[in-house]
Amino acid sequence: GQNIDQPTEMTATEGAIVQINCTYQTSGFNGLFWYQQHAGEAPTFLSYNVLDGLEEKGRFSSFLSRSKGYSYLLLKELQMKDSASYLCAVMDSNYQLIWGAGTKLIIKP
Amino acid sequence: GAVVSQHPSRVICKSGTSVKIECRSLDFQATTMFWYRQFPKQSLMLMATSNEGSKATYEQGVEKDKFLINHASLTLSTLTVTSAHPEDSSFYICSARDLGGYEQYFGPGTRLTVT
């Protein structure tokens, strides 16, 4: 079966760095997405990785290792507004998104 | 660019009635639209995928006669929850993808409460 695993909840301090991991087992791979979702709102796109390596976009970076079925989202210089759920999703061979359950990130002052 | 709107944002209806939710791509042509449901503190659950001009493909366990999906144009898809029950109360989110694209652009969601 298809499976996406990510931690349920993480806590970090304002100004610090946090890494949210995601491992996956899917039928085929056409890229991995990270989305941010604030409570009561729809997800917003953060990043897309289809090749191995690190993609940096401002305070957020995303890493992919296809051989290990592994990705992480790195958030630097954390701000209170970064408190949200972070969803990992993999596009399978049918170009369908398989979603992880999300990681709730709590930022403390 | 790539804006998706949903209407209404919130709706309260009585048990047994039907509710229609609209999803529009405002600045691109959405050849494929997706409908998701999200219960509190849970992840997104794909309900169905619709391609413009063809019947929607429903995920296992989703009743196609209860959740009617129409994707009649490249900018509009509708989800109708028929004979709504309190257990249908949820956050319904649509997303859209354009031809040849890989990213899904999400609408803001519709919170449905069935009393």
Side-chain angles (χ1 to χ4, degrees), chain A residues 55-97:
Chain A
E55 296 274 346
E56 296 186 76
K57 191 185 294 185
R59 295 189 298 113
F60 294 4
S61 303
S62 57
F63 172 83
L64 174 67
S65 169
R66 289 172 297 172
S67 62
K68 295 182 179 179
Y70 167 71
S71 172
Y72 67 73
L73 179 69
L74 190 72
L75 293 76
K76 303 177 184 176
E77 300 169 17
L78 287 170
Q79 302 175 9
M80 297 304 293
K81 66 178 182 179
D82 297 329
S83 293
S85 287
Y86 291 85
L87 308 176
C88 172
V90 172
M91 186 171 286
D92 68 8
S93 56
N94 294 318
Y95 294 93
Q96 295 276 49
L97 278 181

Side-chain angles (χ1 to χ4, degrees), chain B residues 16-29:
Chain B
T17 61
S18 295
V19 173
K20 180 185 283 188
I21 303 170
E22 292 187 349
C23 178
R24 294 180 185 272
S25 57
L26 299 185
D27 51 3
F28 67 101
Q29 293 186 325

Side-chain angles (χ1 to χ4, degrees), chain B residues 19-85:
Chain B
V19 173
K20 180 185 283 188
I21 303 170
E22 292 187 349
C23 178
R24 294 180 185 272
S25 57
L26 299 185
D27 51 3
F28 67 101
Q29 293 186 325
T31 51
T32 306
M33 285 188 168
F34 305 86
W35 285 96
Y36 293 88
R37 182 167 50 182
Q38 187 175 35
F39 292 105
K41 299 184 179 180
Q42 295 186 23
S43 189
L44 297 171
M45 290 174 50
L46 179 65
M47 298 175 67
T49 302
S50 72
N51 292 294
E52 185 265 336
S54 62
K55 289 184 178 180
T57 301
Y58 289 81
E59 295 299 301
Q60 194 172 8
V62 178
E63 300 174 58
K64 62 180 181 181
D65 294 329
K66 180 173 180 60
F67 298 99
L68 303 178
I69 292 172
N70 183 282
H71 191 169
S73 77
L74 285 171
T75 59
L76 174 64
S77 177
T78 59
L79 167 68
T80 302
V81 183
T82 63
S83 187
H85 289 285

Side-chain angles (χ1 to χ4, degrees), chain A residues 5-23:
Chain A
D5 285 317
Q6 50 182 131
T8 304
E9 187 174 296
M10 299 182 71
T11 302
T13 305
E14 189 177 16
I17 299 173
V18 71
Q19 177 174 311
I20 303 174
N21 296 324
C22 172
T23 57

